[in-house]
Amino acid sequence: MHIRKFLSAIFCLLSLTASLSGQDVTALEKIGPVTGFVRNESGLTLTCQDNSQVRLTILAPDLIRVRASFTKSLPDKDHSWAIAKTDWPAVRWSVREDAAAITIVTDEIEVVIHRSPLLLEFRDARTHETINVDEQPMAYDARGVMTERLFDPKAGRMVVASKKLGFDEHFYGLGEKASRLDKRRDSFVNWNSDTPGYTEGKDPIYQTIPFYLGLNRGVAYGIFFDNSYRSYFDFGHSSQQRAWFGAEGGELNYYFFYGPALKKVVSRYADLTGHMPLPPLWALGNQQSRWSYYPDTMVERVVREYRERDLPLDVVHLDIDYMSGYRVFTFDAKRFPDPRALTERLGRQGVKLVTIVDPGVKHQPAAAGAPPPSPSRPELGPHDQRYYVYDQGIEKNYFQHRQNGELFVPKVWPGESAFVDFTKPAASRWWGDLHRAYTDSGIAGIWNDMNEPSDFVDQTGKNQLDVVSFDEGENSTHAKNRNVFALLMARATYEGLQRLRPDRRPYVITRAAYAGIQRYSTMWTGDTNSTWEALALNIPMFTTLGLSGEPFVGSDVGGFIGRGNPELLVRSYQISFLAPFCRNHKVIDGYDQEPWRFGKPYEDIIRRYLKLRYRLLPFLYTTLEEAHRTGVPLFRPLMLNYQDDPATYNLDDEFMIGNDLLVAPVVKPDVTQRLVYLPKGVWYDYWTNRKYEGGRLIRADAPLETVPMFVRGGAVIPLGPEMNYVQEKPLDPITFAIYPDEKGSAAATIYEDDGLTPDYKQGAFRRTAISVRQNGAGYTASFSTPEGSHRPGARTFILAVQSERASLQTKTITDNGSARTVDVK
Ligand code: GLC
């Protein structure tokens, strides 16, 4: 008896904690068969037997939107915080029908709408082969069979789309997930969560990017399920039949992208949700952080160490202790008495300051008779009696409230706090304008943290379920708004910085996010552990974020939580020296881990990689600009460049920068060699110039001082001079390291601009193409007429053809920005 009770209690517990992904989605109510349709210029609206409506909108020949409303008509309101582009040029398409199906045909896709049951099938318009097909009709939880299992049963009902799973189908994307590159047979939840010390498999973590790529027999497609409610993705985890996705409320609303090239899907996703603007060039510089550096003299000491040790540095981050009692938009008067003077002193050494800004505004009603804050610099005044940010937020009704009208009071670093309702346009603008407190002091960038939003009262979000947001007059609750909170906070920050400093590119870093975040912010992967397991996750996480529309990524170098060790720190730099965001950061109760922390031998290795990063800046910046323009990330999984090579589909301990640099880091202790997979073609060992024929595994030396690194034959890598901070010197000379392919050819472009202002958007850049071919015993290099109006002035170009020989063939010329052909003998 007792045993039975015990077992049933355990069973009960297990079923309560079981994830929704274990659910049988076939139990849901399926949408009815099609009874008719109307056509307009951009697509079809279907009506169904159960009064449901489905709208298919043709946005581009390779992009179709699917929107369904169950048992009722689609609402007129159609709004998403994620979408950047709604105005698409007209597309040529046609429709045909027979008794069984209605078919939409564009130049690239056929959408076959099977009438009964209603199943959507996406096919290649040329080959007519199926790319992706519904495994069951779109479904919703009419009878509430899943209600018990929902996180917020009051928020809505499950809506689900279910797709047939290919036996050779691979899945990528979903933004920030603590998992491997290929997500086949796994399942995921999206619900932005503060998860310090997460390990592989922890889910969800900080961000929600409900966009994935499928690669089915080498053919790529993408699906963006634009629904901000708690959502679920199951890639053949609960059943080998299907890959399904769904959400706890809102519409079944998704976008289908067709490749067949992965890069094309990624690019279209950027068109739809926004292209990352270029950050300032110094954002690619080395960054140092600590929870927390204070007082100001401590910050200067860290900078002095960097300079005295000849270690490059561009940015120092001020974590929460710079504030007066964790009040955002203030400075602690003792620790940072004159922030303006500090940023000026650091500026003379080429170093910028970035301050953390959390969403929690200290809950501090003004004390009776408290004097008003200084109108000119309220952030510098005493804040124990009166806190201007809180006062203004209350007065203007910008903070979030519960459904019963009470102010919502979460607990974060300042203790009791209030959160801004960033869905209110005026509140968002106010928040952006508050950043004057920083820009007036010369602060160069803003770090948004705790924006899931984290609440110490309850990290799951349950304490926030009845919190209401304005949401365009809908006054919707947390279930809909949690996942977009960080996106809207980053938007307010970015737009505020733009207004405050229109001649500078904003630099924002965020922890949490929703799709579209790349329009406003760069990101880092939150509170990692200082362990080898966590380090190994760097590669699949950075590449996955890149595939999911977030090219500017990085992780706390050395890991955030825990002791760490010299070997781990060095190996960590050997990944991050090529990550867009390269910042060493450590928790408050952790051990110091600046590059010099473990002694000279390790510091010397770290210096070598940081110096190389700065030499590679022209190459990194060129690939970053490509990411901005095309959406194709710079930090890439090999499969993105070698889609036809199945050996790359699961490969997540190597990465590439752009098309040309392949890196195979060491992510385990005590390793001095490793196997490296090189795709087909010629490869050069970056360190020795030894040539390899690809399409196979090779064994590479990887003692602690060496990260195996290879350059693709056919590439030209532009290198600048050594520098200790970005733009310390003009880009002169530029060395073009030429790596001929099997035919003796190589080509590249190099992108340059002022690195600071938004003028590049108006054509103030220079793009120079170089192509090289073999010419007898030597080579001929041709430079195109540069594109763009940026004029860097005359400088030296060094052309250096790489080979296994001891002496390279080189040629030095003066570049004056005109097209020319030169021989390198
Ligand atoms: C969070 C951040 C971490 C920061 C800390 C204190 O844990 O993720 O980077 O140091 O808060 O602000």
Side-chain angles (χ1 to χ4, degrees):
M1 187 62 187
H2 285 319
I3 287 274
R4 271 174 71 187
K5 254 191 177 164
F6 175 73
L7 285 179
S8 84
I10 294 266
F11 180 76
C12 225
L13 203 75
L14 281 179
S15 54
L16 271 179
T17 52
S19 82
L20 259 186
S21 66
Q23 269 295 309
D24 180 9
V25 291
T26 59
L28 299 179
E29 202 72 30
K30 295 166 186 73
I31 202 163
V34 179
T35 50
F37 70 91
V38 286
R39 177 184 174 160
N40 71 7
E41 68 277 10
S42 62
L44 305 183
T45 303
L46 315 169
T47 43
C48 307
Q49 216 164 57
D50 59 352
N51 294 324
S52 296
Q53 259 191 357
V54 179
R55 184 163 300 145
L56 289 117
T57 311
I58 298 127
L59 302 175
D62 56 0
L63 177 57
I64 312 283
R65 180 177 178 198
V66 178
R67 206 181 154 203
S69 170
F70 297 99
T71 66
K72 54 179 189 283
S73 304
L74 283 158
D76 290 339
K77 188 178 173 195
D78 180 22
H79 172 260
S80 158
W81 302 108
I83 301 296
K85 185 176 166 96
T86 49
D87 194 15
W88 295 81
V91 173
R92 184 168 52 176
W93 65 282
S94 59
V95 63
R96 58 170 192 258
E97 58 171 323
D98 57 31
I102 305 153
T103 304
I104 293 172
V105 184
T106 76
D107 288 351
E108 297 179 40
I109 316 186
E110 284 174 0
V111 191
V112 184
I113 305 155
H114 300 276
R115 294 180 198 254
S116 183
L118 198 183
L119 296 171
L120 298 178
E121 179 178 1
F122 297 89
R123 293 184 185 161
D124 182 306
R126 280 162 293 230
T127 64
H128 308 292
E129 279 192 28
T130 303
I131 313 158
N132 180 275
V133 57
D134 285 351
E135 182 263 346
Q136 64 166 39
M138 292 176 272
Y140 66 110
D141 195 2
R143 288 162 288 121
V145 296
M146 280 191 185
T147 304
E148 286 296 296
R149 290 171 175 249
L150 298 188
F151 186 78
D152 182 1
K154 283 200 246 147
R157 298 210 153 164
M158 276 296 284
V159 292
V160 164
S162 185
K163 305 287 184 177
K164 232 180 218 155
L165 182 74
F167 69 86
D168 187 23
E169 193 167 5
H170 302 266
F171 296 90
Y172 306 97
L174 285 193
E176 189 186 45
K177 293 293 172 196
S179 77
R180 313 312 304 185
L181 177 66
D182 182 358
K183 299 186 166 38
R184 182 181 171 85
R185 300 301 292 270
D186 226 331
S187 72
F188 300 92
V189 181
N190 289 314
W191 185 247
N192 292 0
S193 301
D194 182 356
T195 49
Y198 64 87
T199 50
E200 185 175 337
K202 174 78 185 168
D203 187 60
I205 56 171
Y206 307 101
Q207 303 199 353
T208 294
I209 312 287
F211 167 66
Y212 72 90
L213 295 128
L215 189 61
N216 201 357
R217 286 170 289 120
V219 170
Y221 67 87
I223 287 181
F224 172 40
F225 176 37
D226 186 11
N227 180 316
S228 62
Y229 284 79
R230 187 177 174 103
S231 59
Y232 300 86
F233 286 77
D234 181 314
F235 301 121
H237 178 80
S238 55
S239 152
Q240 273 174 269
Q241 301 270 94
R242 68 185 71 90
W244 67 265
F245 53 88
E248 291 198 2
E251 274 182 20
L252 189 56
N253 167 34
Y254 71 91
Y255 295 80
F256 184 87
F257 303 77
Y258 181 41
L262 284 161
K263 285 180 181 168
K264 183 158 164 270
V265 176
V266 168
S267 228
R268 264 280 184 250
Y269 174 76
D271 292 343
L272 181 69
T273 62
H275 287 247
M276 167 196 72
L278 278 177
L281 182 54
W282 53 259
L284 283 177
N286 181 40
Q287 315 196 19
Q288 179 66 52
S289 182
R290 181 69 207 251
W291 177 7
S292 301
Y293 289 134
Y294 65 83
D296 50 0
T297 49
M298 177 69 206
V299 175
E300 295 190 86
R301 208 165 96 196
V302 171
V303 172
R304 204 175 321 119
E305 289 278 356
Y306 261 96
R307 290 293 174 250
E308 281 174 11
R309 292 170 185 275
D310 189 30
L311 289 160
L313 179 73
D314 267 272
V315 182
V316 175
H317 291 246
L318 297 186
D319 207 327
I320 47 176
D321 298 286
Y322 76 85
M323 294 179 251
S324 151
Y326 305 127
R327 294 172 186 88
V328 285
F329 307 105
T330 71
F331 287 92
D332 182 291
K334 285 211 187 67
R335 293 170 177 170
F336 293 91
D338 192 348
R340 166 100 245 165
L342 175 66
T343 57
E344 277 168 8
R345 288 197 299 278
L346 296 178
R348 286 194 284 277
Q349 300 170 72
V351 172
K352 316 255 184 320
L353 280 186
V354 165
T355 46
I356 197 168
V357 179
D358 292 342
V361 172
K362 188 178 172 69
H363 180 266
Q364 187 189 324
S374 141
S376 58
R377 297 297 301 268
E379 73 276 13
L380 298 179
H383 301 105
D384 47 345
Q385 298 278 299
R386 182 185 277 275
Y387 172 30
Y388 74 108
V389 180
Y390 182 79
D391 287 353
Q392 291 177 17
I394 288 288
E395 186 199 318
K396 297 181 167 139
N397 193 24
Y398 289 159
F399 293 132
Q400 290 185 335
H401 289 79
R402 292 193 185 274
Q403 244 160 353
N404 65 8
E406 267 171 34
L407 183 71
F408 170 50
V409 186
K411 277 199 182 133
V412 247
W413 301 125
E416 291 196 339
S417 301
F419 287 159
V420 171
D421 179 356
F422 290 107
T423 68
K424 282 187 175 170
S428 176
R429 197 180 168 93
W430 166 71
W431 186 263
D433 290 342
L434 285 171
H435 288 77
R436 189 176 67 90
Y438 300 118
T439 52
D440 274 2
S441 290
I443 298 296
I446 300 296
W447 167 20
N448 281 175
D449 186 30
M450 306 292 281
N451 48 357
E452 292 69 34
S454 179
D455 174 4
F456 299 158
V457 175
D458 159 50
Q459 285 292 23
T460 67
K462 289 258 188 226
N463 181 41
Q464 309 190 39
L465 291 185
D466 67 341
V467 170
V468 180
S469 292
F470 170 69
D471 186 21
E472 305 223 301
E474 218 179 279
N475 293 311
S476 54
T477 59
H478 197 60
K480 184 177 175 201
N481 297 305
R482 180 183 183 86
N483 286 340
V484 294
F485 184 87
L487 172 71
L488 299 183
M489 182 181 173
R491 185 184 67 151
T493 307
Y494 181 89
E495 291 177 351
L497 293 177
Q498 253 182 341
R499 285 192 301 275
L500 288 158
R501 276 193 303 228
D503 60 339
R504 290 285 177 271
R505 304 175 193 172
Y507 179 46
V508 184
I509 304 143
T510 185
R511 191 170 74 179
Y514 184 71
I517 188 70
Q518 68 276 7
R519 307 202 292 274
Y520 312 116
S521 185
T522 66
M523 69 85 57
W524 100 108
T525 60
D527 296 350
T528 54
N529 293 319
S530 293
T531 60
W532 291 100
E533 292 74 18
L535 183 67
L537 273 180
N538 273 189
I539 305 171
M541 286 184 76
F542 296 175
T543 53
T544 294
L545 280 154
L547 292 173
S548 316
E550 286 186 83
F552 207 101
V553 297
S555 202
D556 291 343
V557 182
F560 182 65
I561 298 169
R563 177 158 197 153
N565 65 66
E567 192 186 353
L568 182 73
L569 184 66
V570 166
R571 293 304 194 188
S572 179
Y573 271 109
Q574 288 176 347
I575 298 174
S576 288
F577 86 107
L578 290 172
F581 183 57
C582 176
R583 182 190 70 169
N584 178 321
H585 180 47
K586 195 74 193 174
V587 68
I588 186 168
D589 51 359
Y591 294 77
D592 291 349
Q593 70 178 19
E594 288 81 7
W596 50 86
R597 151 82 169 90
F598 295 106
K600 189 165 182 316
Y602 305 103
E603 182 188 332
D604 287 348
I605 304 174
I606 294 167
R607 179 181 302 101
R608 178 187 192 199
Y609 286 91
L610 290 179
K611 294 257 177 200
L612 180 56
R613 177 180 179 92
Y614 280 71
R615 285 214 65 201
L616 285 168
L617 277 176
F619 171 67
L620 289 175
Y621 196 51
T622 298
T623 55
L624 186 69
E625 190 275 336
E626 185 188 344
H628 147 71
R629 185 167 32 85
T630 68
V632 179
L634 57 160
F635 199 105
R636 298 181 188 168
L638 271 65
M639 46 71 91
L640 189 58
N641 288 337
Y642 297 92
Q643 186 175 334
D644 295 333
D645 182 352
T648 65
Y649 293 174
N650 274 314
L651 194 63
D652 56 15
D653 64 353
E654 298 179 20
F655 63 89
M656 290 190 72
I657 301 296
N659 283 320
D660 299 332
L661 205 57
L662 185 155
V663 189
V666 170
V667 291
K668 294 191 183 96
D670 303 322
V671 169
T672 53
Q673 280 196 335
R674 63 158 284 178
L675 291 174
V676 179
Y677 179 72
L678 298 175
K680 275 213 173 68
V682 176
W683 295 89
Y684 293 74
D685 182 312
Y686 181 82
W687 307 108
T688 63
N689 273 350
R690 182 171 163 195
K691 261 202 217 180
Y692 291 92
E693 192 50 51
R696 65 196 174 102
L697 281 169
I698 63 154
R699 189 173 290 281
D701 280 337
L704 189 59
E705 62 276 15
T706 307
V707 62
M709 207 155 95
F710 300 85
V711 186
R712 185 181 62 82
V716 179
I717 307 280
L719 296 128
E722 220 174 65
M723 293 192 210
N724 270 327
Y725 56 91
V726 167
Q727 295 182 324
E728 181 191 17
K729 304 169 191 160
L731 212 49
D732 187 15
I734 299 177
T735 304
F736 291 90
I738 297 161
Y739 296 86
D741 65 12
E742 58 274 19
K743 296 194 195 90
S745 308
T749 58
I750 170 171
Y751 173 88
E752 303 163 82
D753 61 26
D754 66 23
L756 218 52
T757 73
D759 295 352
Y760 69 97
K761 294 182 184 164
Q762 265 68 52
F765 61 82
R766 170 171 290 190
R767 185 177 293 113
T768 312
I770 167 175
S771 66
V772 180
R773 64 190 162 74
Q774 196 156 17
N775 180 4
Y779 290 84
T780 301
S782 310
F783 289 90
S784 65
T785 307
E787 273 175 62
S789 61
H790 177 64
R791 299 271 172 275
R795 67 259 172 98
T796 302
F797 281 177
I798 301 168
L799 309 180
V801 180
Q802 309 294 307
S803 74
E804 287 167 316
R805 283 183 310 209
S807 71
L808 302 184
Q809 292 167 293
T810 62
K811 172 99 178 190
T812 301
I813 60 170
T814 303
D815 165 55
N816 54 15
S818 45
R820 62 197 298 186
T821 297
V822 285
D823 286 331
V824 189
K825 292 237 155 69

